[in-house]
Amino acid sequence: MTALTAAAIAVVAFFAYQASAADDRPSAAASEEPSASASEGDSDGAGGGGGGGEGAEEPTDPALPEESGTGRRVVYALAQQRVWLVDAAADGSGEEVTSTFEVFPSSVGPEPGEYAITSRTAQGTGSDGVPMEHAVIFHADAEGIVFGFSAATDGSVPNPESELRTGAIRQSRGDGDTMWEFAEEGTAVVVVA
């Protein structure tokens, strides 16, 4: 009886060894990977590859700053380096942001406050010497620094560390087109910190 038990154990051990060494069977590490990935995806909300994870979501634009005026206006947030174009809602229920985008300020920024578009220039040369288009000017300070939004025709952006004191606020050419269409003379510009 002992010989039969020993033989049975030897046969079982042999088959167990063969099964563990088989090439067509995934390793223990490989079989654990999917469950580890699934649990990681569940914990942070990100799925793998392309099905609705964080990488697949559209980024959300920052909200319009509070206390940024009322009515049809351009809102410029100095710290966020961003502009919002605000108009009456199409359904008449109040107001809505029609567009928002990043801007690139020069070395001098305007003081927070309420201004209005005073002039527009389709093409020209900015105070920094760069050819630009679609300039909408809203303020000139006591030192004669002119503040306005424009797009450099070569796509360049100002250096905020420059010693040249200018008030150019640059935007992409596409955003410059949007601003040009929106900001007519007299349009309010609200600058917030």
Side-chain angles (χ1 to χ4, degrees), residues 68-155:
S68 60
T70 59
R72 189 172 196 277
R73 66 197 182 281
V74 175
V75 176
Y76 172 36
L78 298 168
Q80 293 184 57
Q81 296 182 5
R82 177 169 286 275
V83 162
W84 291 261
L85 306 181
V86 184
D87 207 347
D91 63 3
S93 64
E95 58 186 27
E96 66 182 356
V97 173
T98 61
S99 186
T100 182
F101 46 87
E102 288 182 291
V103 293
F104 306 93
S106 292
S107 58
V108 182
E111 290 294 318
E114 293 186 31
Y115 305 93
I117 302 299
T118 57
S119 65
R120 294 163 35 104
T121 304
Q123 289 188 325
T125 302
S127 55
D128 56 1
V130 175
M132 56 81 194
E133 64 185 4
H134 296 155
V136 292
I137 308 303
F138 63 89
H139 180 58
D141 71 8
E143 296 179 36
I145 296 174
V146 176
F147 297 95
F149 303 100
S150 64
T153 56
D154 66 0

Side-chain angles (χ1 to χ4, degrees), residues 4-22 25:
L4 254 125
T5 305
I9 290 175
V11 169
V12 169
F14 175 74
F15 286 125
Y17 172 76
Q18 270 192 327
S20 69
R25 188 176 147 211

Side-chain angles (χ1 to χ4, degrees), residues 7 29 38 54 58 61 65 98 118 122 129 132 170 185:
E54 285 178 2
E58 288 293 317
D61 289 327
T98 61
T118 57
M132 56 81 194
R170 291 283 156 71
E185 278 194 45

